[in-house]
Amino acid sequence: MAEQEASGLQVLLSTLQSSCEKDVILNILNVLTDLLSLGTGRRIHYVISKGGSEALLQALAAAARTEPPDHSTLLPLLRLLARVGQRDRKFGLKVQKAEATDIILSLSRRNLGHHLHLIHCLWVLRVCASNVTTGTTLGINGAVELLFKVITPYSKRHVRTVRAAIEALAALLKSKSNSRRAVNRGYLGGLLRLYQDWHHNDVSNNYIYIRRGLLLCLKHITNIQLGRETFLGSRGMEILFTSIQDCLFCKNLDPIITTVTQILRKCYPKEPLPVATVRSSYSFPLPGNAKAEPPCEGSEGDYESNGEEEVEKDLDNENVESKEEDYDLETDVNKLRSRPVLDRPEEELGQYEAMCPELSHHFQELEPESEEEKSLEDRTESLLSTPSYFIPSATSVKRPNYRWRNQSVSEVGPDPGEMDLKVPQQSWTKKEKCRWDPIDEKRDTVEAAQDADSSEGEDPARSHVLTLRPLPEEAAWYKKMFYPECETSINPSPGERLQSSETVTNLLEKHQGDIPFHSPRFYMARAKRVKSIPDYKDMAFPDFWGHQPPPYSKPMLERKYGVQRNKVLDDVRRLIQPGDVIGRTVFDLDEPSHSSPGAPGCLTFFSKFESGNLRKAIQVREFEYDLIMNADVNSNQHHQWFYFEVRDMKLAVPYRFNIINCEKFNSQFNYGMQLVMYSVKEALQGRPRWLRAGHDICYYKNHYYCNTAAGGGMRGKCYYTLTFSIKFPHKDDVCYLAYHYPYTYSAMMSHLDVLEQNRNPKKVYWRQQTLCQTLGGNPCPLLTITAMPDSKKRDDLEQFYSRPYVFLVARVHPGESNASWVMKGTLEFLVSSDPIADLLRKCFIFKIVPMLNPDGVINGSHRCSLSGDDLNRQWLTPSSQLHPTVYHTKGLLYYLRSIGRAPLVFCDYHGHSQRKNVFLYGCSVKETLWQAGCIVDTAVITEDVGYRTLPKILDKVAPAFVMNSCSFLVEKSRESTARVVVWKEMGVLRSYTMESTYCGCSHGLYKGLQLGTQELEEMGSKFCLGLLILHLKSLPCSKKVMAQAALLLDLEEEITDRAQRSCSNSSLETDDEPPCAEEIDYNTDSCSDDEGNFSELDQEIQECLSWVEGETEDEGLTTGQTCSSKARRGLYISSQPAPNSTALPLRSTALGVYSGFESSPA
């Protein structure tokens, strides 16, 4: 049957090309018209595939040669050409091949006086011009001049013709040569005047299509530099900005507003970023002859990451040859499976034996005598003196026979008031209180002495003066908080530093110790030892005081319709109406003397504290500030993380903040994500917590660029603006704003101190060692956690030594603080007294590096270490000098592999800024080959699918985890990441990157909610639960372990208790976000103007069939005409056609009805 249909269509087309009989041609055209007017666009594509476009063009050439032209044949032919040509991607080339451009132009010129015929010619002209090459040819032959003659001067006569001509002109102007021609002939000013005429006279908004068509012409002309310059010289910015002020509150005019906004953003004069150089304010001298990251030629697509898994331009050209050889990594089975040779001499691996003390420990402490007393004596001894370490360095790696001395206790004494800490309930699988060992009197005495003078006996080289940032300076509030019993007025001496003062004492007394696993004293002691490039003298209050998760989860922010364009128009107003622009620098990290802090009515900013990042603040208007982030150390890019203090605010006033040097093309801030805020007054009133905050949030491309001088050779880089508004909860408060929940290096170190202090040493084997010193001189901790053996019996010790390893690392990217919160949840669960945690410790030995990039975290970087390198792109060949943490972590993994103890699971904790949910990236040969389009012979290529087991388990037990977001591809751009290197070089099947969203979840229990620290910590504990289930499902277990598991964990119930959530998780998920209430346009030069959508043209053509043959076109509308007569005549304001159908009704739609331009062709 299909063959018969095909042969029938081919006969029709062949006859159309060869016949000279008018009746035969008309009959064929009528049949084709009826055929293509019904059904979907598939019919048109079928006709195209059988040579329909060529046949129609040949018939057009034949019909045009007749004198005089027979319009009874030409009109249906032109209608068919317009309908078929718009869906034929090669139509422009076919027109040129048939030499039909001159024919179409000739017909247009000959019919200037007959508008019905001219409209048909203009439709075909528009379709031809959709091909830039054909459009250029038409422009050379005078099409632009012809169309401009048709549309000018302004007149409401022949409006159908004007509309068709404007839409054809907009298509022609996509060609840059046509745009230049239009500018050179002065048409741009004419278009502006014409737009003004239509705008001012279209009071009833009856001619939206004509106005928008003129705007599209302007949009395409301003794609060229000459067009933008002429547009600015013709006062185009002022004209368009003024024209839409009365349109903003009419939703039917959104197409006009959107197009105007795009033009204004594109034509806004480009400005260099207002900094002397885009390179970081901080620089660090690198060891040896190493040089910092070279400047890169920036472009939109060149910027890195989001978590591990975003394409990043490789700036390292030293090993070009080897990289070129591996270009087929994703399609070559041998390269995917290769096990590269060691990147260091094998004899160097011996040094890492000291990192595995658990394999040689004799457990003398298991003797029955007073183990608690012995442990206390050891602890006391270490509290009174700083433990010494043997830290790997570039020279020490040459001597493999030394041993590190274990750091079995914290360097800093515990706080007696903090010993009996409450454990967050969400961290445990079974919701029961953890019971810690009682604290004896002797321990309290020693620790109290330690806390009395925490700095006494410290190594001066490792400690420095550190002060707490001043508190709110409102005297009445200050008195109420700290001296409620005092009647006299107390002035807190504004700006006074508060180290070891009465105020700090009051603060520590006021701290109720109800923040789990946090001690301000521990934090202060650790923070004093931190080495930073700016040599921090101040401590941020939230890090000192602590964070308590709120008792609720906050929904994703609903995006207010029109918020982005309103923000953009506010930006344009600076140029158009500069009278209220202040332009005062109020904070400058580079030039503090240029700042004007404390000006009346002005906010005060500060960021020189651990993990802080704010480079410059400029007051734009009274309640609006432009903010600039600092680049990563020794770098000129990676702007994303921010964390700063702001004070001296007014109450209930919306302050607008614009971070103007963001780099990423996309952001979750456009899809419901909010930043976080911490209020000091709220904290001191018993609510110490980071909260999601901000409204009117959006993210878009701005007019700033990086010039060559400021970029140190880098040019062409464009920036994006993150804008948000905040109403602060208190007057004259001190608040902190951050990209995500901060988690500093000192917070991590003090957290480890508290965890060790509160573990049960009889059950938890804990060893904290120093993996190495960072470039900045800070210790990078390595943890070993497992269960103590039940006894010294041979079987128990054998079981202890033979436990498989799990290797966890986190925070290789400093700005991904969510990774640290997940790691926090993992650590707290591992040392807890939960019986499931106890069983898990008996199953595995955990090696954990909780922070791989301490220097980056300390100095407020987003992506890199002090070397200016992304450490997660250095795993193939790390440098012991430049990348010591990665070098020694990889060395330890090499060592474990060399003794036959490669980890069962390796997981690198990350954060992801452009996707929702929590998910894993793994490694699979087959899935990579399939994705690359290779034919996979399953008989030859075999693969253990065990890499999928853990993600499937997590999908069942972790509310935030989504299996369908996971990927197991090994891409060329990822070959130097931890996940891929550990998989290939260490042979670890279950090597993962775990990505946690900054935003929230789109599936499951937390659907529609933003993730807080409680949910992130829960993910860390659920990951541990997943490891236990993986062990029980995948590895042989002793009867004892299985019996314990049967008592503690009903696996069936645990796996199915989230059946409802899992069902929703299993629905297919795409990377694309759902559409917002308004179209999100990140670029200023976007061409997304719906011109590729020809459903409107379809409707025009279909309406044309209802016209009376030979009827003259409307000669303008008088006030006496009725709406019914307007509707009968088919004016422009048409209802939106069904999106999945091109079968359009043979009627006109009601006047004044407009429903947008969003329909798509069938």
Side-chain angles (χ1 to χ4, degrees):
M1 185 67 181
E3 293 179 0
Q4 292 177 356
E5 291 177 358
S7 61
L9 177 61
Q10 288 170 342
V11 168
L12 282 175
L13 295 176
S14 176
T15 305
L16 179 64
Q17 289 175 287
S18 59
S19 177
C20 296
E21 298 184 22
K22 176 180 177 180
D23 291 341
V24 173
I25 293 174
L26 282 175
N27 285 333
I28 293 174
L29 293 177
N30 287 333
V31 170
L32 290 175
T33 298
D34 292 340
L35 178 68
L36 301 183
S37 295
L38 302 173
T40 66
R42 292 175 61 186
R43 290 190 177 187
I44 297 179
H45 289 294
Y46 184 73
V47 170
I48 293 170
S49 69
K50 297 303 178 183
S53 299
E54 292 89 339
L56 291 171
L57 286 168
Q58 188 170 336
L60 175 66
R65 284 195 295 266
T66 62
E67 289 292 343
D70 187 353
H71 289 95
S72 64
T73 303
L74 279 172
L75 294 185
L77 190 56
L78 289 168
R79 284 197 295 269
L80 282 169
L81 274 170
R83 295 206 63 191
V84 172
Q86 63 181 310
R87 289 177 174 83
D88 188 346
R89 294 182 178 180
K90 298 182 179 179
F91 187 72
L93 298 177
K94 293 174 182 178
V95 169
Q96 287 186 295
K97 187 175 181 180
E99 299 180 348
T101 53
D102 290 337
I103 295 172
I104 297 168
L105 278 176
S106 176
L107 287 172
S108 300
R109 290 190 178 100
R110 294 175 64 174
N111 287 289
L112 286 175
H114 197 295
H115 293 279
L116 178 61
H117 300 165
L118 178 59
I119 287 174
H120 285 71
C121 298
L122 294 176
W123 287 337
V124 179
L125 191 64
R126 171 186 172 183
V127 174
C128 293
S130 61
N131 176 279
V132 175
T133 304
T134 309
T136 301
T137 303
L138 288 167
I140 292 172
N141 292 329
V144 175
E145 291 81 358
L146 172 67
L147 294 174
F148 203 80
K149 183 178 180 180
V150 174
I151 66 175
T152 55
Y154 165 77
S155 171
K156 286 189 178 180
R157 296 167 59 89
H158 317 305
V159 286
R160 285 196 183 93
T161 307
V162 172
R163 173 185 174 181
I166 289 174
E167 289 170 344
L169 180 60
L172 279 171
L173 292 175
K174 287 184 177 180
S175 162
K176 291 184 178 180
S177 63
N178 287 341
S179 291
R180 277 190 288 271
R181 183 175 290 104
V183 174
N184 291 332
R185 282 167 172 71
Y187 292 161
L188 191 150
L191 287 170
L192 279 171
R193 289 189 294 274
L194 193 60
Y195 172 76
Q196 284 181 290
D197 290 336
W198 280 102
H199 175 77
H200 292 316
N201 290 285
D202 186 21
V203 179
S204 301
N205 296 324
N206 291 334
Y207 303 106
I208 294 177
Y209 284 125
I210 288 179
R211 290 158 62 186
R212 184 167 183 267
L214 290 168
L215 290 172
L216 291 177
C217 293
L218 292 170
K219 180 177 177 180
H220 295 318
I221 287 180
T222 52
N223 280 337
I224 62 173
Q225 180 68 24
L226 177 62
R228 291 191 291 274
E229 292 172 355
T230 307
F231 178 82
L232 291 171
S234 303
R235 298 183 61 253
M237 296 287 286
E238 293 89 336
I239 291 171
L240 294 191
F241 179 82
T242 304
S243 72
I244 62 167
Q245 296 307 307
D246 54 354
C247 303
L248 295 176
F249 303 104
C250 181
K251 197 167 184 179
N252 286 345
L253 297 178
D254 277 354
I256 301 288
I257 301 168
T258 299
T259 310
V260 168
T261 303
Q262 292 173 348
I263 296 171
L264 293 176
R265 291 173 61 191
K266 178 168 53 179
C267 295
Y268 198 116
K270 301 298 181 186
E271 296 179 25
L273 203 65
V275 289
T277 173
V278 297
R279 290 193 67 80
S280 175
S281 300
Y282 303 147
S283 61
F284 183 80
L286 300 181
N289 296 322
K291 294 183 179 179
E293 169 195 327
C296 63
E297 299 243 341
S299 66
E300 278 184 39
D302 290 344
Y303 306 129
E304 93 315 320
S305 164
N306 202 341
E308 176 210 342
E309 299 299 319
E310 255 183 69
V311 175
E312 182 182 55
K313 186 174 182 180
D314 194 345
L315 301 176
D316 182 8
N317 296 318
E318 296 177 2
N319 199 14
V320 173
E321 286 188 16
S322 64
K323 290 179 181 177
E324 289 177 351
E325 291 173 2
D326 282 345
Y327 72 95
D328 55 352
L329 172 72
E330 297 164 22
T331 58
D332 191 319
V333 179
N334 294 326
K335 288 178 180 174
L336 282 170
R337 287 181 162 176
S338 65
R339 295 285 183 266
V341 296
L342 286 173
D343 63 1
R344 66 197 75 193
E346 188 172 356
E347 58 270 16
E348 287 188 7
L349 299 184
Q351 64 178 307
Y352 298 103
E353 180 183 353
M355 288 295 179
C356 300
E358 67 279 1
L359 297 181
S360 57
H361 201 290
H362 298 299
F363 296 100
Q364 299 298 327
E365 62 269 33
L366 292 179
E367 297 295 339
E369 63 262 20
S370 178
E371 185 270 338
E372 179 70 17
E373 183 176 346
K374 182 177 183 298
S375 173
L376 176 62
E377 289 172 358
D378 292 342
R379 183 167 305 184
T380 303
E381 181 181 353
S382 64
L383 285 173
L384 299 178
S385 62
T386 302
S388 60
Y389 306 98
F390 192 95
I391 309 302
S393 65
T395 54
S396 66
V397 296
K398 308 296 183 184
R399 300 160 31 213
N401 296 322
Y402 65 84
R403 294 286 186 273
W404 278 284
R405 291 183 58 186
N406 295 335
Q407 180 187 359
S408 59
V409 293
S410 302
E411 295 181 33
V412 182
D415 173 15
E418 297 290 330
M419 299 308 300
D420 191 10
L421 295 173
K422 299 177 183 177
V423 181
Q425 292 294 318
Q426 76 275 9
S427 297
W428 319 123
T429 306
K430 302 294 183 182
K431 295 193 175 180
E432 59 183 26
K433 284 191 176 181
C434 283
R435 290 182 300 234
W436 306 103
D437 286 347
I439 312 302
D440 59 49
E441 182 179 355
K442 182 177 179 181
R443 179 182 300 171
D444 280 348
T445 303
V446 173
E447 291 163 354
Q450 170 76 16
D451 282 327
D453 189 356
S454 60
S455 61
E456 185 176 343
E458 286 184 355
D459 181 1
R462 299 191 59 187
S463 180
H464 57 271
V465 174
L466 194 68
T467 62
L468 186 66
R469 291 290 296 155
L471 297 178
E473 297 169 357
E474 184 185 353
W477 177 87
Y478 192 90
K479 172 186 172 184
K480 179 180 177 182
M481 290 304 302
F482 295 104
Y483 303 96
E485 72 288 346
C486 184
E487 296 181 359
T488 59
S489 175
I490 296 177
N491 294 317
S493 302
E496 178 187 358
R497 301 295 183 182
L498 303 174
Q499 183 206 10
S500 302
S501 67
E502 183 180 357
T503 305
V504 171
T505 303
N506 288 336
L507 280 173
L508 293 174
E509 290 177 356
K510 186 173 180 61
H511 196 281
Q512 300 178 14
D514 55 353
I515 299 178
F517 296 106
H518 179 77
S519 163
R521 286 186 173 88
F522 276 38
Y523 187 90
M524 286 189 71
R526 281 295 184 179
K528 289 178 181 179
R529 297 169 175 269
V530 167
K531 294 183 178 180
S532 62
I533 293 177
D535 192 21
Y536 296 130
K537 305 297 184 185
D538 294 88
M539 223 175 3
F541 186 88
D543 305 320
F544 163 78
W545 195 253
H547 159 74
Q548 198 169 44
Y552 55 87
S553 296
K554 193 164 184 180
M556 293 182 203
L557 183 68
E558 185 176 350
R559 187 181 177 93
K560 189 185 299 183
Y561 190 85
V563 61
Q564 176 175 299
R565 71 184 183 208
N566 292 339
K567 297 283 189 177
V568 170
L569 291 175
D570 277 345
D571 293 343
V572 174
R573 188 173 286 108
R574 299 189 197 181
L575 180 70
I576 307 299
Q577 302 168 357
D580 63 342
V581 175
I582 298 173
R584 175 172 55 202
T585 299
V586 295
F587 175 77
D588 194 335
L589 201 61
D590 301 313
E591 298 288 345
S593 59
H594 294 174
S595 304
S596 304
C602 174
L603 294 177
T604 302
F605 295 85
F606 188 78
S607 66
K608 288 190 70 172
F609 48 78
E610 191 174 342
S611 292
N613 189 317
L614 177 65
R615 182 173 191 167
K616 193 171 186 177
I618 302 170
Q619 186 178 18
V620 179
R621 299 183 179 97
E622 183 179 3
F623 301 114
E624 181 179 355
Y625 295 82
D626 281 352
L627 309 178
I628 299 175
M629 295 177 288
N630 194 20
D632 285 6
V633 178
N634 282 342
S635 171
N636 52 24
Q637 53 184 339
H638 312 300
H639 307 95
Q640 179 169 316
W641 172 258
F642 59 86
Y643 179 21
F644 58 89
E645 174 195 283
V646 59
R647 59 175 68 215
D648 300 328
M649 65 283 295
K650 295 181 179 179
L651 181 64
V653 172
Y655 286 87
R656 177 181 171 183
F657 299 95
N658 311 304
I659 299 179
I660 62 175
N661 64 332
C662 303
E663 292 175 332
K664 289 181 180 293
F665 176 78
N666 195 349
S667 173
Q668 281 293 313
F669 281 114
N670 272 329
Y671 298 103
M673 177 177 163
Q674 294 173 281
L675 65 152
V676 294
M677 180 179 73
Y678 190 105
S679 163
V680 172
K681 284 190 175 182
E682 286 288 302
L684 292 176
Q685 291 172 10
R687 296 177 292 276
R689 53 185 62 122
W690 286 99
L691 294 174
R692 296 280 187 173
H695 60 276
D696 290 350
I697 300 176
C698 57
Y699 187 94
Y700 54 87
K701 190 175 179 183
N702 60 36
H703 62 282
Y704 291 105
Y705 73 97
C706 176
N707 61 22
T708 305
M714 184 179 67
R715 58 183 174 81
K717 185 175 183 177
C718 51
Y719 293 105
Y720 294 80
T721 290
L722 164 63
T723 180
F724 55 89
S725 297
I726 283 186
K727 288 184 179 180
F728 294 103
H730 300 281
K731 178 186 177 183
D732 293 329
D733 196 359
V734 177
C735 291
Y736 292 80
L737 303 179
Y739 180 84
H740 195 67
Y741 304 97
Y743 195 94
T744 64
Y745 171 75
S746 297
M748 183 265 296
M749 295 298 287
S750 60
H751 182 237
L752 297 183
D753 294 339
V754 175
L755 284 179
E756 181 180 1
Q757 203 68 56
N758 286 276
R759 70 186 174 92
N760 183 345
K762 293 182 179 179
K763 290 192 173 186
V764 180
Y765 178 95
W766 168 289
R767 291 295 180 270
Q768 179 177 334
Q769 300 167 273
T770 298
L771 175 71
C772 63
Q773 292 281 13
T774 66
L775 275 178
N778 296 290
C780 177
L782 168 70
L783 306 177
T784 305
I785 302 174
T786 187
M788 295 289 285
D790 292 338
S791 70
K792 292 184 63 178
K793 293 180 181 178
R794 180 175 179 179
D795 290 346
D796 289 334
L797 292 180
E798 186 65 30
Q799 191 276 336
F800 176 90
Y801 296 137
S802 62
R803 293 171 188 166
Y805 278 91
V806 170
F807 207 113
L808 307 177
V809 299
R811 205 70 183 278
V812 69
H813 293 147
E816 294 167 9
S817 60
N818 41 0
S820 283
W821 288 102
V822 177
M823 177 59 76
K824 181 175 184 287
T826 295
L827 292 172
E828 289 176 4
F829 183 83
L830 285 178
V831 301
S832 74
S833 60
D834 187 288
I836 294 178
D838 185 56
L839 181 58
L840 180 64
R841 291 192 295 266
K842 292 177 180 177
C843 293
F844 293 111
I845 298 174
F846 288 87
K847 287 288 183 186
I848 302 175
V849 184
M851 191 172 283
L852 267 173
N853 193 349
D855 291 338
V857 173
I858 291 167
N859 293 287
S861 295
H862 168 65
R863 183 83 179 175
C864 299
S865 66
L866 295 190
S867 65
D869 295 319
D870 178 350
L871 292 183
N872 203 37
R873 295 298 187 274
Q874 310 301 323
W875 280 78
L876 273 177
T877 54
S879 163
S880 60
Q881 286 190 322
L882 297 180
H883 322 119
T885 59
V886 171
Y887 182 86
H888 291 294
T889 302
K890 187 178 182 183
L892 179 55
L893 285 161
Y894 268 141
Y895 173 74
L896 291 175
R897 188 194 69 167
S898 70
I899 62 173
R901 302 296 298 275
L904 176 74
V905 174
F906 172 87
C907 191
D908 184 8
Y909 291 13
H910 280 257
H912 207 293
S913 68
Q914 293 184 18
R915 296 180 67 183
K916 291 184 171 66
N917 310 308
V918 181
F919 51 93
L920 290 179
Y921 289 114
C923 302
S924 165
V925 173
K926 282 188 176 180
E927 295 193 36
T928 302
L929 294 174
W930 284 330
Q931 181 69 23
C934 300
I935 299 175
V936 180
D937 186 347
T938 55
V940 177
I941 303 175
T942 59
E943 184 174 45
D944 185 346
V945 295
Y947 63 87
R948 280 185 163 267
T949 306
L950 182 58
K952 287 181 178 178
I953 293 170
L954 292 174
D955 189 56
K956 302 297 188 295
V957 303
F961 192 89
V962 175
M963 175 68 183
N964 284 312
S965 295
C966 297
S967 172
F968 303 95
L969 304 182
V970 183
E971 299 167 294
K972 174 72 171 73
S973 58
R974 309 287 176 260
E975 67 172 336
S976 57
T977 61
R979 165 180 63 97
V980 176
V981 170
V982 172
W983 173 69
K984 286 183 66 178
E985 298 191 20
M986 316 301 168
V988 177
L989 174 69
R990 299 174 181 86
S991 180
Y992 304 107
T993 297
M994 180 160 63
E995 298 279 4
S996 300
T997 180
Y998 287 99
C999 182
C1001 292
S1002 59
H1003 294 73
L1005 188 64
Y1006 299 143
K1007 181 177 181 180
L1009 300 177
Q1010 298 182 78
L1011 293 188
T1013 58
Q1014 181 168 320
E1015 291 76 28
L1016 292 170
E1017 290 182 46
E1018 178 192 54
M1019 184 64 233
S1021 65
K1022 293 299 183 183
F1023 183 79
C1024 295
L1025 177 59
L1027 291 174
L1028 178 60
I1029 299 174
L1030 173 70
H1031 185 280
L1032 298 174
K1033 289 170 68 72
S1034 305
L1035 298 178
C1037 299
S1038 66
K1039 292 182 180 179
K1040 183 177 179 181
V1041 170
M1042 291 303 294
Q1044 286 180 294
L1047 289 173
L1048 294 174
L1049 186 64
D1050 184 342
L1051 290 182
E1052 260 334 287
E1053 179 182 352
E1054 191 66 40
I1055 291 176
T1056 59
D1057 64 349
R1058 300 190 188 278
Q1060 184 176 358
R1061 177 193 62 81
S1062 182
C1063 290
S1064 63
N1065 278 6
S1066 62
S1067 60
L1068 290 177
E1069 182 191 7
T1070 62
D1071 286 351
D1072 296 331
E1073 293 290 345
C1076 290
E1078 69 173 317
E1079 176 189 4
I1080 293 175
D1081 180 23
Y1082 299 101
N1083 288 300
T1084 56
D1085 51 358
S1086 170
C1087 294
S1088 56
D1089 49 38
D1090 297 321
E1091 290 182 85
N1093 181 347
F1094 286 93
S1095 56
E1096 298 168 16
L1097 179 56
D1098 281 336
Q1099 186 157 339
E1100 286 185 71
I1101 296 169
Q1102 197 76 5
E1103 288 175 350
C1104 177
L1105 297 177
S1106 66
W1107 296 354
V1108 179
E1109 185 65 24
E1111 177 184 0
T1112 58
E1113 206 205 345
D1114 39 330
E1115 301 295 323
L1117 301 176
T1118 65
T1119 56
Q1121 287 181 298
T1122 64
C1123 286
S1124 61
S1125 69
K1126 294 179 186 178
R1128 181 178 61 79
R1129 286 189 167 279
L1131 254 171
Y1132 304 99
I1133 313 303
S1134 56
S1135 62
Q1136 182 175 341
N1140 296 323
S1141 173
T1142 56
L1144 301 169
L1146 302 179
R1147 61 176 176 81
S1148 300
T1149 53
L1151 177 69
V1153 178
Y1154 172 75
S1155 58
F1157 297 83
E1158 302 302 324
S1159 60
S1160 60

